[in-house]
Amino acid sequence: MSLRLYTQLRQPCARLLTAACALLLCVFAANAQSAPYKFDLGLQLGMSGYIGDANSSNIFKHPGFDGELSFRYIGDARWAIRGVFSTFGLSGNTEGMDDVIPDGTSYSFTSQIYNLSARGEFNFFAYGIGESYKRLRRWTPYITVGVGVALASSGDNTFVAPTIPMGLGIKFKLSERWNLGAEFTMTKAFNDHFDGKDLADLNQIKTAFYKNTDWYSRLTVGVSYEFGKRCETCHYVD
């Protein structure tokens, strides 16, 4: 190739290469399905339930009130990290149960729980409102799992235990920033005192994952508001 021809082709080729790189960056940004806002603040209300020595079957046989505040970091349209503080009541009664306490004793309890957890969330669909090429959906089911710590107050006794919350839910975008959601979670508490110290270790099986520790559940609905606008262009996402 002559020097003259090379000089004539160099500038158009450079422009074409620049345009191709810009297009690839735009495609990459679209496939990343970034969310327009970084953060989300929410309020959830609902009911709580308990599974343990004083209730072995119906989760919501003795429902309590549950209130939650949540703060979410939105990684992208699929992933988020969420902190949740919740307080709720648990109660149970051994009357009518197939498994009876020794000597046929009847037992009931009430507890107030304060729970703080950090969870990861995965949306089944890319969640959001935006241009059609981003393939965002205005609603999505999601799953969540995490770790936490809970404080239980029952009578004159207070107990603290690590927890593992696991749940699933559904989100719907009311508008660009406002979201409506419903969620069901089951939480494993690594303590057998959430239903009071008198029922601890009735089975005398120290290794039993289900029998010797308590579970509690929550069914909530709530709203959340997104904020913290991302700086976004074709080639850059903050």
Side-chain angles (χ1 to χ4, degrees):
M1 180 183 295
S2 67
L3 179 61
R4 182 178 179 181
L5 181 59
Y6 170 77
T7 303
Q8 291 175 343
L9 292 177
R10 182 179 60 181
Q11 190 172 8
C13 288
R15 290 176 180 176
L16 182 60
L17 181 60
T18 301
C21 290
L23 180 60
L24 288 174
L25 287 171
C26 288
V27 171
F28 176 79
N31 288 336
Q33 299 169 317
S34 61
Y37 297 96
K38 298 179 183 178
F39 309 110
D40 175 294
L41 187 63
L43 171 66
Q44 296 81 36
L45 300 174
M47 62 180 180
S48 56
Y50 149 86
I51 288 288
D53 294 310
N55 181 30
S56 59
S57 55
N58 187 346
I59 298 174
F60 295 112
K61 185 176 181 179
H62 302 281
F65 173 78
D66 173 50
E68 300 181 359
L69 289 175
S70 65
F71 178 81
R72 183 184 282 112
Y73 172 74
I74 306 170
D76 59 29
R78 287 292 188 97
W79 288 96
I81 299 173
R82 183 183 177 200
V84 181
F85 173 76
S86 55
T87 179
F88 50 92
L90 297 181
S91 61
N93 195 317
T94 61
E95 290 186 359
M97 288 180 55
D98 293 332
D99 297 332
V100 297
I101 297 177
D103 300 325
T105 303
S106 178
Y107 179 84
S108 63
F109 80 95
T110 58
S111 297
Q112 187 67 30
I113 313 297
Y114 303 90
N115 190 92
L116 180 65
S117 64
R119 311 174 189 174
E121 283 185 2
F122 175 73
N123 299 326
F124 286 88
F125 307 136
Y127 180 62
I129 297 176
E131 294 82 355
S132 59
Y133 75 89
K134 292 184 178 180
R135 298 181 180 178
L136 300 175
R137 295 200 183 187
R138 199 164 184 164
W139 69 278
T140 182
Y142 67 91
I143 57 174
T144 180
V145 65
V147 294
V149 62
L151 183 148
S153 176
S154 179
D156 297 329
N157 303 295
T158 301
F159 308 98
V160 178
T163 60
I164 298 180
M166 300 162 280
L168 53 89
I170 188 168
K171 307 172 186 176
F172 176 77
K173 272 204 166 293
L174 299 171
S175 64
E176 184 182 14
R177 294 195 182 204
W178 286 97
N179 307 280
L180 178 66
E183 182 178 270
F184 173 77
T185 59
M186 286 288 293
T187 300
K188 174 67 176 176
F190 290 89
N191 192 307
D192 196 29
H193 299 296
F194 279 28
D195 47 16
K197 68 176 183 178
D198 295 332
L199 285 182
D201 299 332
L202 286 179
N203 297 279
Q204 299 298 315
I205 306 173
K206 298 298 182 181
T207 58
F209 182 76
Y210 175 80
K211 286 292 186 180
N212 270 5
T213 49
D214 297 323
W215 292 77
Y216 51 85
S217 58
R218 285 164 289 171
L219 179 61
T220 61
V221 294
V223 294
S224 64
Y225 178 77
E226 296 179 12
F227 62 98
K229 183 75 172 179
R230 278 189 165 91
C231 176
E232 185 174 342
T233 65
C234 181
H235 61 281
Y236 175 77
V237 177
D238 180 20

